[in-house]
Every structure is written in C-alpha cells, then in structure tokens.
Amino acid sequence: MKFMKLGSKPDAFQADGNSIRYVASELETDIIINVGEVKFLLHKFPLLSKSNLLQRLVTKANEENIDEIPMVDFPGGPKAFEICAKFCYGMTVTLNAYNVVAARCASEYLEMTEDADRGNLIFKIEVFLNSSVFRSWKDSIIVLQTTKSLLPWSEDLKVVGRCIDSIASKTSVDPSNVNWSYTYNRKLAVTENILENGRKSLQKIQSVPKDWWVEDISELEIVLYKRVMVAVKAKGRMSGDVIGEALKAYVVRWLPDSIDAFVSDDYTWRNRSLVETVVWLLPSDKGVVCSCSFLLKLLKVAILVGASELLREELVKRISFQLDEASVNDLLIPSRYPKTTVYDVGLVQSIVDRFVMRDRCTRELDHVEKNEKATDDFVLESGSWLNVGKLIDGYLAVVASDPNLPLSSFVDLSHSIPESARPIHDGLYRAIDIYLKEHPNLSKIERKKICGLMNVKKLTMDASMHAAQNDRLPLRVVVQVLFFEQVRATAGALNAPQKVSRDNSRSTTNIEEDWERTGPEDYKSLKKQMSNMKIRDEECQKNGEKKNKSSKHRGSSVLLLRSRSRRIFDKWWVGRKGHGEHRSSETSRSSQSPISMNPGENKSSGSSSRHRRHSIS
C-alpha cells in the first residue's frame, strides 16, 4: 500500500475524554472549533494561514463575540479535521488509501488551496492520488470503497470517477504484464505435479488468467460495482466470457445461502438490486452466454425477491437458448403464492416452449437459406434434444411426487418435447410410475391418459421387466409390455430381423387398436395374438436346438416373460368368460417398488462454487 508523510514536528494532539482534543503547547489556545461531538481547542494563527474558510469564520465570530465556531456536516468527521489541523501545525501526518479521500474532502471544505498558502494540503493530496494511488490496483479499489461514506463530496471532486477509470483501465492490460493481483483476495494459484517416484511437488502457475481481476472488484458495493463493470465494458477490450465470469463471482460473493435470508426485509432490497444489476450487465454479444445453471439461479432469486416481470422475462429468454445445458436441480424453482405446487412447473413449461419455438425458427431459417426441405428430426442438434429429453423426464420424476401437481401439467410438459428427443422411455415410465404411486385416486380415464404418454416399444428390458410386475399400471398396459417383450424375445431367438420387423409392425397395430376396443373384439384380438405367439414359440423351440443358447440373464428374462404372459392372458380370458365381472382387475401383478431408471441424474452444483472458482485462461 502506498503512503505519504506530511510535516516533521512531533504529534502534539492530546485527548481529554472522548469529546475534547487539544494541542499540548505553552501558548494558550484561542479558538474552539466544534466538529460533530468533538471540541478542538486550537490556535488561530496556524489555522488561518492555511484555510480561507477559517479566516472568514473567525472574522465573523469576532464581530459577533462568539467563542466557538461550529463546522456543520464536515466531511470525514473529527478524524478528517484532525488531519487538516495537524498539517496546519506542521505535525507529522501519514496519508494512505484509507484516509486520503477523507482528507481531500475535508481540505476542500476548509478551502486549503494555493491561494491561502503555497504547497497547501489540496495540492499535496492531488499529487499523491495521481502519482501513487491511482497507479496502484489495490489502492484504487480501497479508495473507491471509502468514497461511499463521503458522498457527494467525493463525487464532486471526481475522486469516484478517477478511481473507476483507473480500475477499468487496469483490467484491460495484457495478463502477461500483470503482477499486482493474487495478493489481495487470493494467493497465486498452485498446481500439483506428481514426480516419477510418486511424490507430489507444488508448482506456482506463473501465467495470469484473463479473469484475474474479477474477485478483487467483487468486494465493491453494488452501485460502485455496476459503474466499474460499465466502464470495463465501455473499454471494449474485455470478452463476454470474462464479463460473465465476473458477474458470476459477484453473485457467489454476495447472495446468501439460505432462502430465509432472500425473503427477509433486511436483504430483500439489496438482493433485488443485485439481481437487476447483474441481469442488466449480462453480455449481449452474439454467441457469448453465461452458464445455464447461473442464469437459472438468478431466475430463482428474481422470483424470491419479487423482481419485475420484465427482468424475469429476459432471464427466461436467455435460459431457453441453452436449456440443454441445465440439470434437474437447476429447474427446481420454488412456487410462490397463490400456486399450490411445490415447484413452478408452469415456468419450466414456458422455458421449454421457448426452447422448442427457438428451435423451430432456426430450422425454418435454415430451410429458407439453404432452400432445402425441413424435417421433423433434425440432425445438427440431435444431441441437444436428447439432453432436453432426459432433463424433462428427470424433472417429471421429481415433481411427480407432488400431491398437488395436476395431471394436465404433467401431460402437457411431457408432450412439450418431440418424439425424437425421447428415443428410450425408461425415464418417462419412471416418472409415470411415481405419479401413479403418489396419486392413487386417479380414475380409469386419467390412468389411461397418463399411461398413454408411454410407448412400451421404447422400454428397455429392465424397464419392461419392472412394468410387467407393476400393480399400479392398468392391465392393458401390462399386456402390451408382455406382448412386445414376447415379440422381442422371439425375434432374438429366431434371428430373423426382417420377418420379426413385419410381425412387430403388424402386432403393434393390433395392440394399439385393441386399446380402443371393448367386448368380444378384445377377446378375438387377444386370441389371435396368442395363437401367433404360440406358433412362434414352437418355431423358437425347433430352431433353438440348431442355434446357440442366449446368455443366462437373457434366457431367464424370456422365461419369466413367457410364463408371465401365460398367466396374464389366462386371467384375461377367464374374466371374459365370467361376463366381464372382473375386467378391470389389476391384482395379478406384484407390488415391487420401482427401479431407478436414471441413477445419479440429479447432481447438486450450487454449493461447491463458493469454495473454488476456475479462472478463464
């Protein structure tokens, strides 16, 4: 830290309690100056020779026979006045980044200019600011922090503006020339090297990353931080990625950890101001985006602190451009009154709708530019769609346990993504099973509607095995599962993909039509299908003697499905012969708990960001 010493005489100021300060001298004091609650017993001559203001005040006091001179609203208070008084007496005083602004404002108040005396205090402080303070990265930040308590003096004297310009200019310096950071808020980054004998050695990273400055300025109060970031962006030499990293570091530094702190009266205004400022500062450069997790965190805070609708709309718009990068935990946005659900499913629905709309517009634009026919399955962003499909299925599995979640919300969100985004329906089946478990009072029509979201042909073997024994599913869904697994098992045994493909297509049509049929048509359809499966079973047994057997796991699964299908069809036919008295019975399945189709899908990433931040090289 830079500092400057003024004067050479020893410090002779002494205190008498907390409210009186005087100069130890053989000469009797002849002037009393009140600054705040402190009385200064001083001598007129040294003060009047340096201050034009005191010259006028003393003259006026003599005319009115007043013993004490009050200093109203003195900038910096008694401490700043004492610095000025010591300078007038020629006593030793040390200026540094913490007190220089107060001394500058106080000297301006007292009019300690060159007109009163050559080499006066204002001149010396300005030399110190320009030659030392504003050339130092750390001192510039410290001085800027001290200006808040000295407004409007510090603003009128352009100390604030000069500090901001100094900081913004230094952030644009080539990182290879930076050597003043890492001693302020963090140490020089250290990496571990493993030697040949297995021992570890520590080696300093000599190269300075582009975002070396972001944590230092995160200590600034929100208003000053905003002005610094505006100046940094105005320089035009900082990339949007680094700007985004700086905003993220600031949010991590100042946002509270608990939800109670968000909504408390003491922090609501500050948090709302913080979110509004950060969103306003988000980089608008094309192709430059902040992480989706960071944007969703901002959206959660914006909702909790009651930010404006326009700000939330801007965040939703930005999030929709990169929804494929989000995680399930990121989407768990708490609902606010009057909504009754735990999480705001409607908000997630709007984000997904925007993502789909943006994708559709992109494809239409590509179609116009390339003059090619657009297709429903688009290849360039198939990976993004797969990520969104997994994301929505995982989100549905979480919100499905909410007893207040309407079936319509579940169905609409499931339908919001195209079929190509969900090549496997294991995640959707898991969400449906959880919803059925948590909502046992659904009607037959509602159970049929939610199960209609699932395509049993797109279930894996494990999911099909679980569904075949799931007593929460309607009986017809179980029949579908068993039938298609029977077809799959037969196809594998016969090793005839073309024939099975044709049979599978024809059988699929039969089963889907059977969903809508009732009465004798159901019986005829199932009887015909069972006959077909019986023929294929016999063919499978004949061909099985000539072919190698499948693995033990596959074989046991096929046997279980075959025996299970016999029991299901037998019970179905018995029910039909009994005049349909128990056609809705679904007690033929076990109550085994559902398997987890997507283990480890929900990973928390919010808390660890406070412990370590990776710099942008």
Side-chain angles (χ1 to χ4, degrees), residues 74-77 80-81 84 101-112:
F74 192 87
F81 180 82
C84 296
V101 178
R104 177 65 182 88
C105 296
S107 62
E108 187 71 22
Y109 184 96
L110 294 172
E111 300 178 15
M112 301 176 72

Side-chain angles (χ1 to χ4, degrees), residues 397-547:
V398 174
V399 300
S401 59
D402 185 355
N404 294 324
L405 179 67
L407 178 62
S408 58
S409 297
F410 187 98
V411 173
D412 291 344
L413 185 55
S414 177
H415 276 313
S416 61
I417 59 176
E419 281 295 321
S420 58
R422 194 181 277 133
I424 297 176
H425 279 208
D426 286 15
L428 180 59
Y429 163 66
R430 177 169 172 257
I432 291 173
D433 184 62
I434 294 174
Y435 192 90
L436 292 174
K437 180 180 179 181
E438 297 296 332
H439 301 78
N441 297 325
L442 292 178
S443 65
K444 289 180 62 176
I445 296 177
E446 291 174 330
R447 290 161 64 87
K448 171 185 172 181
K449 184 177 183 180
I450 192 172
C451 290
L453 300 172
M454 177 178 57
N455 187 345
V456 297
K457 293 182 296 182
K458 295 186 178 182
L459 296 178
T460 62
M461 173 63 74
D462 290 337
S464 296
M465 293 293 294
H466 185 273
Q469 304 173 69
N470 192 342
D471 59 358
R472 286 183 285 272
L473 296 179
L475 184 58
R476 298 190 182 194
V477 176
V478 177
V479 172
Q480 281 187 312
V481 172
L482 290 170
F483 176 78
F484 285 115
E485 281 304 318
Q486 188 74 20
V487 172
R488 183 187 298 177
T490 304
L494 293 176
N495 196 21
Q498 294 181 354
K499 181 178 179 180
V500 171
S501 178
R502 290 193 296 270
D503 291 342
N504 190 3
S505 177
R506 183 173 64 253
S507 301
T508 302
T509 303
N510 291 338
I511 288 296
E512 290 173 352
E513 292 175 354
D514 174 70
W515 183 274
E516 302 296 335
R517 293 176 184 172
T518 57
E521 293 180 358
D522 285 335
Y523 175 81
K524 293 178 182 179
S525 176
L526 286 172
K527 183 176 181 181
K528 181 178 179 181
Q529 294 162 10
M530 191 61 190
S531 298
N532 292 336
M533 285 192 291
K534 184 177 181 180
I535 293 173
R536 284 194 289 272
D537 283 345
E538 293 175 355
E539 293 176 355
C540 178
Q541 292 175 1
K542 293 179 181 179
N543 291 313
E545 297 174 358
K546 300 177 182 181
K547 298 180 180 292

Side-chain angles (χ1 to χ4, degrees), residues 4 66 87 176 185 225 235 257 329 372 382 413 483-484 492:
M4 181 175 69
I66 299 175
F87 175 80
S176 61
N185 288 325
Y225 179 83
K235 296 291 182 181
D257 293 323
N329 280 336
E372 296 178 354
S382 59
L413 185 55
F483 176 78
F484 285 115

Side-chain angles (χ1 to χ4, degrees), residues 11 47 97 143 145 152 188 213 233 297 452 456 513 543 596 611:
D11 187 356
L47 298 179
V143 167
Q145 288 174 311
L188 182 62
W213 50 274
K233 296 175 69 174
K297 182 176 182 179
V456 297
E513 292 175 354
N543 291 313
S596 179
H611 302 294

Side-chain angles (χ1 to χ4, degrees), residues 254-272 274-275 300-301 304-306 336 610:
W254 288 103
L255 281 186
D257 293 323
S258 64
I259 294 180
D260 294 337
F262 277 115
V263 298
S264 65
D265 295 336
D266 296 336
Y267 294 97
T268 297
W269 181 88
R270 191 198 72 179
N271 293 333
R272 184 187 302 121
L274 186 150
V275 173
K300 292 179 184 178
V301 178
L304 287 172
V305 300
R336 299 299 300 274
R610 292 184 176 271

Side-chain angles (χ1 to χ4, degrees), residues 119 299 556 563 567:
L299 181 58
S556 61
S563 62
R567 295 197 300 271

